[in-house]
Amino acid sequence: NRIKIGITAGDVNGVGYEIILKAFEDAGMLELCTPVLYGSPKVAAYHRKAMELTTNFSIVDSAETAQPERLNLVNCNDDEVKVEFGTVSEEAGKAAFQALERAVEEYRKGFIDAIVTAPVCKSAIRSDKFQFPGHTEYFEHELGEGAKALMILMNKFMRVALVTVHEPIDRVASLLGKDMIKERISTLDNSLKRDFCIEIPRIAVLALNPHAGE
């Protein structure tokens, strides 16, 4: 009954493949979930060799046929993707979006239970199909069904939800309003109850002005 986690590879010239392959060098990770990596087998093999890693993966047609106790990889990139570490390229952005798009498609079909995203280069991934500030807004558009997404940063002690995301600091004050703040608090309250099993959440609202004198 392990959950199936879809993992998008991110930018092929970035750290995504390295982090994912290093994570699953630890066999204990496979006891937590059945991982499905969306990306390119050739690029994964290139990163594995460059980083001198030993992580094995199995190529599957889709997450529906993913096997437990192994890292499964769904090939999303038909083209030969060139890897140039640290370089911004349209080709790398296209490959990152193809992986993201496939993961969302298979999530809709119920083949995976959740999606984890590796980093993308926002200037490279931007295209006619991806006109979003980041992953959060993309998921809101594709899977939100009209509901607003809420970005939550967390550690084992607390969860911090953001009222505004990806906005210049000089615009934040003008964007805030009572209804917007109440909406975010309600969304966070529901998430804490449903996703974190906290029966009666305690929510503190931080002031925009750090001095908070006003």
Side-chain angles (χ1 to χ4, degrees), residues 11 17 20 24 27 40 42 50 62 100 104 109 126 137 145 151 156 166 175 180 185 190 203:
D11 196 288
Y17 280 95
I20 296 162
F24 288 100
S40 162
K42 290 183 179 179
S62 79
L100 182 61
V104 167
K109 293 178 178 178
R126 187 169 291 277
E137 294 80 5
E145 297 180 348
M151 182 180 288
K156 60 183 179 180
H166 298 131
L175 293 171
M180 182 182 190
I185 292 173
N190 291 333
I203 299 175

Side-chain angles (χ1 to χ4, degrees), residues 41-79:
K42 290 183 179 179
V43 173
Y46 185 94
H47 279 254
R48 180 174 60 184
K49 182 178 180 180
M51 302 299 165
E52 298 181 350
L53 302 173
T54 59
T55 311
N56 292 318
F57 55 82
S58 300
I59 303 171
V60 294
D61 293 331
S62 79
E64 187 178 25
T65 57
Q67 298 298 312
E69 299 183 6
R70 68 182 68 182
L71 175 60
N72 301 269
L73 195 155
V74 176
N75 185 15
C76 307
N77 310 130
D78 297 328
D79 302 326

Side-chain angles (χ1 to χ4, degrees), residues 61-192:
D61 293 331
S62 79
E64 187 178 25
T65 57
Q67 298 298 312
E69 299 183 6
R70 68 182 68 182
L71 175 60
N72 301 269
L73 195 155
V74 176
N75 185 15
C76 307
N77 310 130
D78 297 328
D79 302 326
E80 291 286 337
V81 183
K82 185 178 181 181
V83 179
E84 297 178 289
F85 293 129
T87 301
V88 177
S89 77
E90 183 179 341
E91 183 183 28
K94 178 183 176 183
F97 177 71
Q98 287 172 335
L100 182 61
E101 190 176 40
R102 182 69 182 276
V104 167
E105 175 191 329
E106 299 214 331
Y107 176 83
R108 283 200 188 99
K109 293 178 178 178
F111 295 168
I112 53 178
D113 301 299
I115 301 174
V116 173
T117 60
V120 296
C121 173
K122 292 180 181 178
S123 60
I125 198 174
R126 187 169 291 277
S127 67
D128 291 340
K129 291 185 177 181
F130 193 95
Q131 294 285 333
F132 305 94
H135 284 114
T136 307
E137 294 80 5
Y138 177 75
F139 285 129
E140 178 182 282
H141 180 267
E142 293 294 320
L143 301 171
E145 297 180 348
K148 290 290 184 181
L150 184 68
M151 182 180 288
I152 302 175
L153 313 177
M154 60 178 286
N155 60 22
K156 60 183 179 180
F157 301 111
M158 67 170 63
R159 296 126 187 113
V160 179
L162 309 182
V163 177
T164 61
V165 183
H166 298 131
E167 297 291 348
I169 191 67
D170 63 352
R171 292 193 63 221
V172 171
S174 64
L175 293 171
L176 294 176
K178 184 190 298 184
D179 291 341
M180 182 182 190
I181 294 171
K182 286 172 66 176
E183 178 190 77
R184 297 292 194 272
I185 292 173
S186 177
T187 302
L188 176 61
D189 181 66
N190 291 333
S191 177
L192 292 172

